[in-house]
Amino acid sequence: MTRRRVVIAGLGDVGVLTAIRLAPHFEVVGISAKPGLVSGQELGVRLARPDDWARDYWIPFDRFRKLDRVRTVQAELTGVDLDARTVLGRGEDGATVAEPYDALVICTGVSNGFWRQPALQSSAEIGAGLYAAHEQLATAKSVIIVGGGAAAVSSAVNLATTWPDKQIELYFPGDRPLREYHPRTWTRVAHRLAELGVGLHPEHRAVVTEEFTGEQITSEPVRWSTGQTPAVADAVLWAIGRVRPNTSWLPPELLDECGFVRVTRQLQAPGHPEVFAVGDVAATDPLRSSARNRGDGLVARNIRATFTGRPLRPFKAPGRRWGSLVGIQRDGLEVFFPTGHALRFPLWSVERVVMPLIVRWGLYRGIRENRPLG
């Protein structure tokens, strides 16, 4: 009997996990613009300690044991024929890619700054970009970080920890950053930033054009629409949250007014029960929280249920964001709960238990030892 074919469009954090869950049950094809997982997580660690970040968040597909049964295709997505159930793309050599499907999972995520972009890239190009941003910040004596989200706060903590002699200033709109987290979370992180000597500047909203996306570290003065004196530093890191869904390849009928993929509570596209979406690209709730709350497991289960006639389960979004904010530090890993309370794993447990057993074996079902990249 011919196995059902599932095409996964996008092999980022959620796409890889979805492929791992589906591979034992279907013929799975994953389409990615990258030659491996290039995570959008932990911007601060990526900028301050790129070697540490690459170890955990830049992983070639052939190192994932459970992706051995998944055929990965490196291509830029260009379209989908919903009637013919075929995904279209363009390979590195310019050749057209056409992958038929019985079910399609859209996991293409969002673009955000220079660290989350959908363009085709080789391992060498990924590495060059990773270390270029690090070197640009390493040579700066002063750094301004603009933004009030997790990426901005994580960057402030990690840059100040790695380079304690730098002048680092965090500017954000409103009275506090991390509005999507419990207030206790910011209270705890603000104390750490104060200990690190990071300057905090509330109620500062930067003047930016509609076209500006923050895709470069700049050095020009930052002007404020809230009336304050322009701020100047050797390097300006823009983490202003201007996310753009990677959906230009999809027909408008699948999208909401902001370009995200419309989904039912079961993560299906309305009117197209064979099309699913999960992760930052899916318009599940205002926080698009299926990216961080095991949406991969739910969408994999619902695809299996679709083919066997079983009831589908709904996605339940949490009210607040939670998780690690600043990544692994010298004193371990701190994880915040939706209540704002935190649990710290000491560094020895992170290195011996959390990463090798819980993440690499429990979450990813086995990752082979590192191989040279490039």
Side-chain angles (χ1 to χ4, degrees):
M1 182 178 177
T2 303
R3 299 182 85 196
R4 302 274 192 169
R5 172 186 271 218
V6 180
V7 170
I8 300 177
L11 288 176
D13 296 294
V14 178
V16 166
L17 289 170
T18 302
I20 287 172
R21 288 182 173 272
L22 289 170
H25 310 285
F26 306 104
E27 178 189 352
V28 178
V29 178
I31 304 175
S32 173
K34 318 298 182 189
L37 170 64
V38 182
S39 175
Q41 299 183 57
E42 308 294 7
L43 175 63
V45 176
R46 172 177 175 149
L47 294 172
R49 307 193 319 270
D51 289 337
D52 291 346
W53 182 87
R55 178 193 62 222
D56 297 324
Y57 296 104
W58 175 18
I59 306 172
F61 294 134
D62 64 3
R63 287 184 56 204
F64 291 93
R65 295 180 184 274
K66 294 302 181 180
L67 290 186
D68 288 350
R69 288 179 287 189
V70 174
R71 180 164 63 86
T72 59
V73 178
Q74 187 171 5
E76 177 185 2
L77 293 161
T78 58
V80 58
D81 187 329
L82 295 172
D83 294 328
R85 297 191 180 187
T86 302
V87 175
L88 304 173
R90 182 169 48 249
E92 292 181 285
D93 57 0
T96 298
V97 171
E99 295 290 345
Y101 62 83
D102 294 300
L104 169 64
V105 187
I106 301 168
C107 306
T108 44
V110 296
S111 297
N112 186 13
F114 56 83
W115 59 95
R116 298 178 76 180
Q117 292 295 318
L120 277 170
Q121 286 183 300
S122 65
S123 291
E125 290 169 331
I126 294 168
L130 174 65
Y131 289 98
H134 169 76
E135 288 300 323
Q136 195 171 353
L137 292 169
T139 57
K141 293 182 179 179
S142 57
V143 179
I144 285 173
I145 301 169
V146 184
V153 171
S154 170
S155 297
V157 169
N158 280 280
L159 296 184
T161 300
T162 299
W163 295 299
D165 294 333
K166 287 190 192 299
Q167 177 188 347
I168 297 176
E169 310 289 333
L170 175 63
Y171 292 83
F172 48 91
D175 59 343
R176 70 171 177 91
L178 303 180
R179 304 296 299 188
E180 297 166 343
Y181 292 78
H182 194 284
R184 285 195 196 95
T185 303
W186 169 240
T187 299
R188 189 175 181 92
V189 176
H191 179 71
R192 183 160 196 165
L193 288 168
E195 289 181 333
L196 291 167
V198 175
L200 301 178
H201 304 272
E203 308 293 349
H204 282 68
R205 186 173 294 278
V207 175
V208 293
T209 64
E210 285 297 321
E211 295 76 23
F212 183 75
T213 58
E215 293 179 9
Q216 293 181 336
I217 297 173
T218 61
S219 57
E220 292 78 18
V222 182
R223 305 185 185 279
W224 311 105
S225 63
T226 38
Q228 296 89 347
T229 302
V232 179
D234 295 333
V236 179
L237 173 63
W238 297 87
I240 53 178
R242 285 203 166 179
V243 299
R244 304 179 309 284
N246 297 323
T247 54
S248 61
W249 61 283
L250 291 171
E253 67 183 276
L254 293 182
L255 309 178
D256 68 8
E257 64 278 4
C258 296
F260 295 91
V261 180
R262 294 185 297 118
V263 290
T264 65
R265 294 181 62 204
Q266 291 73 26
L267 303 182
Q268 286 176 303
H272 296 277
E274 75 285 354
V275 177
F276 295 77
V278 64
D280 285 319
V281 77
T284 51
D285 60 285
L287 300 181
R288 299 186 305 281
S289 54
S290 68
R292 288 160 290 277
N293 293 277
R294 303 318 309 268
D296 56 285
L298 178 65
V299 80
R301 183 207 175 275
N302 282 351
I303 288 173
R304 293 177 64 190
T306 297
F307 289 139
T308 57
R310 292 180 290 124
L312 277 62
R313 292 180 182 172
F315 174 72
K316 298 178 182 179
R320 297 183 186 274
R321 284 195 172 174
W322 64 281
S324 166
L325 266 174
V326 301
I328 300 170
Q329 302 293 311
R330 289 191 293 260
D331 57 357
L333 176 67
E334 195 168 50
V335 177
F336 290 92
F337 297 103
T339 60
H341 296 95
L343 173 65
R344 181 181 300 281
F345 296 89
L347 186 59
W348 70 264
S349 71
V350 175
E351 294 176 340
R352 300 177 192 175
V353 179
V354 175
M355 295 307 296
L357 299 180
I358 297 176
V359 175
R360 297 191 184 103
W361 277 106
L363 190 64
Y364 290 115
R365 315 289 175 85
I367 296 179
R368 298 180 177 94
E369 290 300 313
N370 193 19
R371 299 175 181 177
L373 294 167

